Amino acid sequence: MKKKVASQSRKQESVAQLSLVMSMQQLVLPLVVGIESTKRGLLSFVHEMGMAALRELLEQDAESIAGRKGKRNAQRTHHHWGTTCTQLPLGGRHVTVERPRVRRKGGGEATLPMLAAFAATDTLPERVMEQILLGVSTRGYADSLEPVPDSVEVKGTSKSAASRALIAKTKQKLAQFATCSLSGVEIVAMFIDAIEIAGKATILALGVKSDGTKIPLGLALGSTENHVVAVDLLQSLITRGLNLDKPTLFVIDGGKGIRKALNDVLGDRAVVQRCQVHKMRNVRDHLPEARRAYVMRQLKQAYAASTVSTAKKTLQQLISWLESNGEDSAAASVREGLDETLTVIKLGLPPTLRRTFATTNPIENMNGSVRRVIRNVKRWNGEAMVARWVALGVANAARKFRRVKGHAQIPTLIAALRPTKLIAQSKVA
């Protein structure tokens, strides 16, 4: 009997809760609809007031040139000449505005200063770029803008118009990133890494200045992450004026093409640090699951060592253990490039700075921004398109750049790379 009463009580509570939810929905829904209607009405009102103010300013502009209508002036050089419709940028679109016309006495229409100023500050490409970075497709660009009154004629929001604006903006970003002069830019370190986009290997370079600020340097595209593409990248940086005459720290992911290119183009001036994270991943991929944890601990212990000799001893012991347990491929992976994984220890960098330059994480973050920007691209049309979108992603990442961790300790890196005696000898030579 008690169970039956309890069951009926629970059912009544459930019905009461459901009834309360439905009542709240009936109350809240009109509020939401009202808020949306109010928002649209307010935006429409603000737009209409803005257009009225713009027309008033254009009328004043015309009067400042041709004088007031209906008032005689013997020295008048211009006269009013009716009105016409003009497209002006406003709110991420082009709107049709009726504006006055002014004609010179000698013939020909005069340009209103305010009209010229509006035309020169067309924000449509910038707005399209901002919306695309937020994940809006060119097809959905029009729907992402604030609503305008139905009576206003708008242009520049179609898929094709948004695409043209985006192409113009990405071309500008590519020119700023890949072809601008690097004369006067001094770097102490460079991160080089590659990402694959549309079947193309895109090699990117990120520089670090002496004050710790990061600067995107350039990119090169090829079918694979090979030696030729990496050489093209380095030579283009030098051609654009980047000074690489002094020893510089290069942090790379271990790609043989990039390593060979550094040796061919810069020789001893390239002090190479192989990314420790990439090395650990490569070794792990050669191991069965049961042995991964132990090997990863040994690698971390080696990379955290205070001296190169201690690190090498730990790694050599690990290589012997792997070989004795039949893990020859993992042992070969540890042995390959062993010395270059310990460069930051050899340079005697402080702990924070050492962690910064032990991996390619700084450029990996930039690569992540590129991947987020290109996620909405469904169809690629050649290398030029890839380069433009990569430049857009890099520009978006650069807006959030901070100085590298441990930037206050960079003088230690400079002193280790470029000893005073070495610099003095190079000046004498």
Side-chain angles (χ1 to χ4, degrees):
M1 184 68 180
K2 291 182 179 179
K3 291 183 179 180
K4 185 175 181 180
V5 171
S7 177
Q8 290 178 347
S9 177
R10 284 195 297 270
K11 287 182 179 178
Q12 290 174 355
E13 289 178 0
S14 178
V15 170
Q17 290 176 355
L18 181 61
S19 176
L20 178 62
V21 170
M22 293 179 66
S23 299
M24 291 299 295
Q25 287 179 345
Q26 292 174 354
L27 288 172
V28 171
L29 186 59
L31 290 175
V32 173
V33 173
I35 290 171
E36 183 65 23
S37 300
T38 302
K39 175 185 175 182
R40 285 183 171 272
L42 180 60
L43 288 172
S44 177
F45 173 75
V46 170
H47 190 277
E48 288 178 357
M49 292 299 100
M51 295 292 287
L54 177 60
R55 286 192 290 268
E56 181 68 23
L57 290 172
L58 290 173
E59 288 286 352
Q60 293 179 5
D61 224 13
E63 287 188 2
S64 68
I65 298 174
R68 296 188 62 180
K69 291 182 179 179
K71 188 174 182 180
R72 293 182 177 275
N73 184 355
Q75 299 179 347
R76 188 190 304 273
T77 58
H78 297 73
H79 59 84
H80 294 278
W81 198 34
T83 60
T84 188
C85 290
T86 300
Q87 294 287 328
L88 291 178
L90 184 67
R93 53 170 68 86
H94 288 152
V95 298
T96 300
V97 178
E98 186 179 22
R99 54 95 176 173
R101 302 176 75 182
V102 176
R103 186 177 177 86
R104 301 183 188 88
K105 272 195 169 183
E109 185 174 357
T111 302
L112 301 179
M114 182 163 290
L115 196 66
F118 262 95
T121 57
D122 188 354
T123 59
L124 180 59
E126 189 73 27
R127 183 63 181 270
V128 171
M129 185 191 74
E130 292 294 336
Q131 296 298 92
I132 296 301
L133 291 176
L134 290 173
V136 177
S137 66
T138 53
R139 191 181 299 277
Y141 173 70
D143 295 333
S144 71
L145 301 176
E146 296 82 1
V148 296
D150 295 335
S151 59
V152 177
E153 182 183 351
V154 300
K155 291 185 178 181
T157 60
S158 65
K159 177 180 180 296
S160 58
S163 295
R164 288 193 297 271
L166 183 61
I167 289 172
K169 198 64 184 179
T170 52
K171 282 183 177 179
Q172 178 188 343
K173 294 298 182 183
L174 180 60
Q176 292 173 353
F177 173 46
T179 62
C180 66
S181 173
L182 295 174
S183 179
V185 175
E186 293 282 347
I187 64 169
V188 296
M190 186 189 302
F191 295 90
I192 302 179
D193 197 15
I195 56 175
E196 184 176 334
I197 302 174
K200 298 288 183 181
T202 304
I203 303 180
L204 297 168
L206 177 70
V208 179
K209 296 182 179 180
S210 58
D211 62 352
T213 56
K214 293 178 285 190
I215 174 173
L217 296 173
L219 80 164
L221 277 71
S223 57
T224 59
E225 185 185 340
N226 60 26
H227 165 254
V228 175
V229 180
V231 167
D232 288 343
L233 172 61
L234 293 171
Q235 289 181 340
S236 70
L237 297 180
I238 295 172
T239 301
R240 288 163 55 200
L242 183 64
N243 184 2
L244 293 175
D245 293 336
K246 299 176 183 178
T248 304
L249 179 63
F250 288 86
V251 186
I252 63 176
D253 63 1
K256 293 181 180 179
I258 296 175
R259 182 63 188 91
K260 187 175 186 301
L262 288 171
N263 187 60
D264 291 349
V265 177
L266 299 174
D268 294 340
R269 289 170 292 168
V271 180
V272 177
Q273 167 65 41
R274 295 276 294 272
C275 177
Q276 293 175 353
V277 171
H278 279 85
K279 174 57 70 176
M280 292 173 70
R281 289 174 184 167
N282 291 339
V283 174
R284 183 190 61 192
D285 291 342
H286 288 287
L287 294 167
E289 187 68 32
R291 288 177 173 164
R292 288 181 177 180
Y294 171 74
V295 174
M296 291 302 103
R297 284 198 301 272
Q298 293 300 107
L299 287 173
K300 289 180 181 179
Q301 181 181 338
Y303 295 150
S306 57
T307 64
V308 173
S309 59
T310 304
K312 279 189 175 182
K313 183 178 179 181
T314 303
L315 293 175
Q316 290 296 346
Q317 290 174 348
L318 177 60
I319 292 171
S320 299
W321 183 88
L322 288 169
E323 290 176 339
S324 64
N325 284 276
E327 302 294 348
D328 293 341
S329 59
S333 181
V334 175
R335 186 181 291 109
E336 191 269 328
L338 185 148
D339 288 335
E340 290 183 346
T341 62
L342 308 177
T343 300
V344 288
I345 305 177
K346 190 185 304 180
L347 291 172
L349 302 184
T352 304
L353 202 62
R354 181 167 145 181
R355 285 193 297 271
T356 296
F357 291 109
T359 71
T360 56
N361 282 350
I363 196 170
E364 292 286 355
N365 290 337
M366 187 176 77
N367 292 347
S369 177
V370 172
R371 291 188 183 95
R372 286 191 295 273
V373 167
I374 68 173
R375 67 186 183 274
N376 285 334
V377 181
K378 305 302 180 185
R379 183 179 300 171
W380 295 97
N381 186 19
E383 289 188 359
M385 183 179 179
V386 174
R388 288 190 291 101
W389 277 87
V390 169
L392 180 61
V394 170
N396 183 53
R399 295 190 303 179
K400 304 174 184 178
F401 275 173
R402 297 179 179 179
R403 291 193 286 182
V404 297
K405 293 182 179 179
H407 58 83
Q409 303 164 343
I410 285 184
T412 306
L413 171 61
I414 298 174
L417 288 172
R418 306 161 185 173
T420 306
K421 184 181 294 186
L422 180 61
I423 296 174
Q425 289 175 352
S426 64
K427 287 181 178 179
V428 171

